[in-house]
Amino acid sequence: MEQEAAAAVVVGAGPSGLAASACLKTLSIPHVVLEREDCFASMWKKYAYDRLHLHIRKRYCELPHMHFPPDYPEYVPKDQLLRYFDDYVARFGIEPAYGRSVESAVYDEGDGMWRVGARDVGSGEAVEYRCRFLVVATGESSDAFIPEVEGIEGFGGKVIHSTRYKNGKEFENSRVLVVGSGNSGMEIALDLANHGARTSIVVRSPVHVLSKGIANLGLALLKYFSPGTVDTLLVLLSKLVYGDMSKYGLRRPSEGPLLTKTKYGKYPFIDLGTCQKIKSGEIQVLPALKRIEGDVAEFEDGKSHPFDAIVFCTGFKRSTHKWLKGDDYLLNEDGIAKPSFPNHWKGKKGLYCVGLSRRGFSGAASDAQNVADDIKSQL
């Protein structure tokens, strides 16, 4: 079934897609938003753990054309963030087409239009949309990733990805292994320890540790100093606050936190109390996981420990490369923008991306406005 042509199609109704739609609407640009889930902001509504708060001050996390309410705390909790998204969608009249899983997007040189093929998740019916402009806003956190681990299929306990974790109540007194030392892994380890679980966490690679205050100071200083200068200060402050964490299993990278985020997509760990639990021994840091045999996990240092549950906080993969055809300029194979900031949002032949440059909410907001303004200039 073919739909009528629209000026633009936005793929994704997460925060980036909502931002893109709001900016297009303020400029009266007709468009369609396609979302494979049954709601907007599904990662936050359906797949986020209970205690989640924004780690960055709210002024850095606003979507375009709408501030957070003044009575919201500086670090917005999940429930209030979802209320903000609800109000945002209502204010701009955003109406995504839900249950639309995009399977292909091909540029037709003949008529200068993108042909976007989607599958109705409910009925299985194929639907095609034609548009002059295609906006990829599928987010950095799209497809949950669990690495292959030898013997995991024989593990008798519970095995989940962080997107299925809500809180640590069910794990009280259980031996739980958290695999992955990003922000989700570190905070879930803290939550498990707070709920009485005997918690261990795999920290395979060096990681920067920053407090919320240090991280937000860094964002503020970027207005006045180069990233290299800010990195030097952030590392110094981290050393003053946390000391040498290598004796607890947390090694600091040789490059600064801003550079490692930009260069490798590895975010610094924002500490909310996990480090104190590690120092006290309530959370055990372990090296890379090697294999599973029964309920016993073996690690790269040759040691083994038994566990009742494993939580994989191993991040996400993006599947854009599977359906976006003919683009060798804008997005890499992992679905992240290839061009350098600040021109990362614009591709060729009417192709754009929003929120795929590892710059958080503020980056997505800026991308959305740039995309909408550029499309408007061509109509």
Side-chain angles (χ1 to χ4, degrees):
M1 181 174 69
E2 184 167 326
Q3 299 286 319
E4 291 185 11
V9 166
V10 178
V11 182
S16 297
L18 299 182
S21 181
C23 290
L24 292 169
K25 277 183 171 287
T26 58
L27 295 177
S28 301
I29 299 172
H31 64 282
V32 175
V33 180
L34 304 180
E35 169 57 49
R36 66 183 179 184
E37 295 277 355
D38 59 2
C39 64
F40 57 84
S42 62
M43 188 59 65
W44 296 88
K45 287 192 171 188
K46 298 167 64 174
Y47 305 116
Y49 46 91
D50 294 342
R51 62 164 286 147
L52 183 63
H53 286 59
L54 294 178
H55 294 159
I56 303 301
R57 288 196 171 96
K58 61 183 181 181
R59 67 175 176 272
Y60 298 116
C61 300
E62 292 176 336
L63 298 184
H65 310 296
M66 185 172 143
H67 296 299
F68 279 109
D71 60 339
Y72 272 33
E74 276 294 291
Y75 300 100
V76 180
K78 183 178 76 169
D79 289 347
Q80 286 181 302
L81 181 64
L82 293 179
R83 200 174 310 139
Y84 172 77
F85 289 150
D86 288 341
D87 293 343
Y88 193 83
V89 167
R91 176 171 177 173
F92 294 102
I94 301 171
E95 298 179 339
Y98 295 116
R100 296 291 191 272
S101 180
V102 174
E103 297 183 338
S104 68
V106 180
Y107 185 74
D108 189 331
E109 299 282 357
D111 60 7
M113 302 283 280
W114 284 92
R115 296 186 178 273
V116 182
R119 182 78 55 184
D120 186 308
V121 174
S123 68
E125 183 180 20
V127 185
E128 184 175 274
Y129 300 85
R130 293 188 300 119
C131 58
R132 185 175 166 190
F133 305 102
L134 176 61
V135 183
V136 180
T138 44
E140 294 180 20
S141 305
S142 52
D143 300 319
F145 171 71
I146 294 181
E148 292 184 6
V149 178
E150 181 184 338
I152 191 69
E153 66 281 353
F155 182 73
K158 188 168 189 175
V159 178
I160 59 173
H161 188 267
S162 60
T163 52
R164 300 297 177 183
Y165 179 91
K166 293 303 178 184
N167 58 64
K169 291 178 183 177
E170 67 175 293
F171 299 102
E172 184 179 1
N173 295 320
S174 296
R175 300 163 299 183
V176 185
L177 177 64
V178 177
V179 181
S181 56
N183 280 295
S184 293
M186 288 294 193
E187 188 166 3
I188 285 174
L190 174 63
D191 190 59
L192 285 163
N194 286 340
H195 281 92
R198 287 172 281 170
T199 308
S200 300
I201 184 168
V202 168
V203 180
R204 188 180 60 178
S205 306
V207 59
H208 281 290
V209 182
L210 305 176
S211 68
K212 286 196 294 187
I214 294 173
N216 282 276
L217 174 63
L219 288 176
L221 290 176
L222 282 174
K223 293 182 179 180
Y224 310 102
F225 301 100
S226 70
T229 300
V230 176
D231 260 350
T232 300
L233 179 60
L234 292 178
V235 171
L236 175 61
L237 291 173
S238 177
K239 289 179 179 178
L240 289 172
V241 172
Y242 295 102
D244 180 13
M245 292 296 294
S246 64
K247 56 188 173 185
Y248 302 103
L250 299 183
R251 294 170 292 131
R252 184 176 287 111
S254 59
E255 297 172 308
L258 297 176
L259 181 59
T260 54
K261 181 173 78 75
T262 303
K263 196 172 177 180
Y264 309 110
K266 189 172 179 60
Y267 288 78
F269 148 48
I270 310 299
D271 178 47
L272 304 175
T274 308
C275 283
Q276 187 56 45
K277 295 280 188 185
I278 290 173
K279 288 180 177 180
S280 70
E282 293 174 76
I283 297 174
Q284 179 181 202
V285 175
L286 297 172
L289 178 61
K290 190 173 182 180
R291 66 172 63 90
I292 302 287
E293 186 172 341
D295 66 346
V296 176
E298 182 183 338
F299 298 88
E300 289 291 347
D301 61 359
K303 296 180 180 179
S304 299
H305 304 275
F307 293 99
D308 303 303
I310 302 175
V311 183
F312 282 94
C313 302
T314 41
F316 301 85
K317 294 290 186 181
R318 287 144 292 276
S319 55
T320 319
H321 67 283
K322 295 180 181 179
W323 55 263
L324 181 60
K325 310 300 181 184
D327 169 52
D328 58 0
Y329 174 78
L330 185 60
L331 301 176
N332 64 23
E333 285 194 1
D334 195 27
I336 298 297
K338 285 200 292 187
S340 300
F341 173 84
N343 301 311
H344 57 277
W345 50 272
K346 185 174 182 179
K348 299 176 180 178
K349 302 174 182 177
L351 178 65
Y352 301 90
C353 68
V354 173
L356 292 172
S357 63
R358 298 188 172 118
R359 296 175 59 241
F361 281 95
S362 62
S366 175
D367 292 348
Q369 192 61 64
N370 284 332
V371 168
D373 289 341
D374 197 69
I375 290 175
K376 184 67 174 180
S377 70
Q378 300 175 64
L379 296 175

